[in-house]
Amino acid sequence: AQSVTQLDSQVPVFEEAPVELRCNYSSSVSVYLFWYVQYPNQGLQLLLKYLSGSTLVESINGFEAEFNKSQTSFHLRKPSVHISDTAEYFCAVSESGGGADGLTFGKGTHLIIQP
Amino acid sequence: DTEVTQTPKHLVMGMTNKKSLKCEQHMGHRAMYWYKQKAKKPPELMFVYSYEKLSINESVPSRFSPECPNSSLLNLHLHALQPEDSALYLCASSLKWGRELFFGEGSRLTVL
């Protein structure tokens, strides 16, 4: 079974400042990793994913995440945030071999962008 | 087409009503899911259909009844719900179990 820890429930950041949302996972086997974003009153949208290959993955709107196997982390970063990035961000993990648990979500981090 | 469509977007029902939530995807995904999400919480898995067969039921009360009429459609039938069942109900699909989920916009349910 796998687990995900998002260390910060809330992260306030000023507009145009950089941000890092932290995600650590636990699994005894190889994993897939995902970041989802949820805007108010909407469903979850896949922001980016790591399945295999390059450990640095990027999204179309400037976010990136790096898979670090030794630190079991998949932190999300953006060099300069915008007001429209205000949302809830969920990290998720699954076993790449198709384990019994499917996707396991972290508790989420609320990113608050201050003008 | 990477869209999962859910209807209705909002639903208000009394505890004696019967209603249904509907979900449709045309991505050729063979796994479809129902999740329940309370405010400021991650989604909680309710049901999983794999190749149109119910493969996971996470001990959900029988007042929630899922149905998968075909590979593109997923329904959630609701009957005799309780006020604590008020939540955002999310449908999702994936290529297969354990791969990335594609979510619909959700159905906001209020039980009076």
Side-chain angles (χ1 to χ4, degrees):
Chain A
Q2 67 264 20
S3 66
V4 179
T5 302
Q6 290 185 247
L7 295 165
D8 305 298
S9 61
Q10 194 167 286
V11 173
V13 182
F14 286 106
E15 195 172 14
E16 298 184 7
V19 69
E20 179 179 80
L21 305 185
R22 295 179 292 171
C23 173
N24 287 88
Y25 70 93
S26 174
S27 175
S28 57
V29 298
S30 60
V31 297
Y32 295 147
L33 291 157
F34 311 95
W35 274 102
Y36 284 87
V37 59
Q38 186 174 30
Y39 300 104
N41 299 312
Q42 294 188 25
L44 279 72
Q45 299 174 31
L46 181 66
L47 192 56
L48 42 76
K49 63 184 179 185
Y50 170 78
L51 301 180
S52 64
S54 173
T55 58
L56 184 65
V57 291
E58 299 175 352
S59 72
I60 57 172
N61 56 356
F63 283 94
E64 64 177 31
E66 186 160 20
F67 170 53
N68 188 318
K69 189 174 180 181
S70 62
Q71 297 188 10
T72 61
S73 68
F74 191 56
H75 301 332
L76 182 70
R77 296 187 292 262
K78 189 171 186 181
S80 176
V81 296
H82 189 265
I83 286 284
S84 59
D85 293 323
T86 297
E88 193 79 19
Y89 291 80
F90 293 98
C91 183
V93 64
S94 67
E95 293 181 1
S96 60
D101 293 341
L103 257 71
T104 298
F105 287 91
K107 292 187 175 182
T109 298
H110 188 195
L111 178 61
I112 301 167
I113 310 299
Q114 302 168 326
Chain B
D1 185 2
T2 56
E3 202 172 83
V4 176
T5 305
Q6 287 188 246
T7 56
K9 292 184 79 72
H10 300 276
L11 179 62
V12 179
M13 59 187 291
M15 289 190 284
T16 58
N17 292 156
K18 283 186 182 181
K19 298 285 185 183
S20 296
L21 306 181
K22 297 183 184 301
C23 175
E24 188 169 6
Q25 60 90 11
H26 293 289
M27 294 178 278
H29 290 169
R30 304 314 298 265
M32 294 187 75
Y33 309 73
W34 281 114
Y35 281 85
K36 174 183 178 180
Q37 188 181 28
K38 291 283 207 178
K40 301 187 186 301
K41 299 286 187 186
E44 299 171 32
L45 184 62
M46 300 175 72
F47 302 104
V48 181
Y49 274 85
S50 181
Y51 290 88
E52 298 152 58
K53 287 186 170 24
L54 184 64
S55 60
I56 291 181
N57 175 342
E58 292 284 2
S59 303
V60 179
S62 60
R63 56 186 185 268
F64 295 91
S65 175
E67 178 195 21
C68 188
N70 60 52
S71 60
S72 300
L73 294 174
L74 189 64
N75 299 322
L76 185 63
H77 303 298
L78 315 170
H79 174 54
L81 295 192
Q82 304 296 310
E84 60 264 29
D85 296 323
S86 298
L88 182 67
Y89 288 84
L90 294 163
C91 174
S93 70
S94 67
L95 190 64
K96 60 179 181 178
W97 177 248
R99 285 295 300 267
E100 62 270 30
L101 300 171
F102 292 86
F103 284 88
E105 292 286 305
S107 294
R108 174 76 59 189
L109 173 66
T110 303
V111 182
L112 301 177

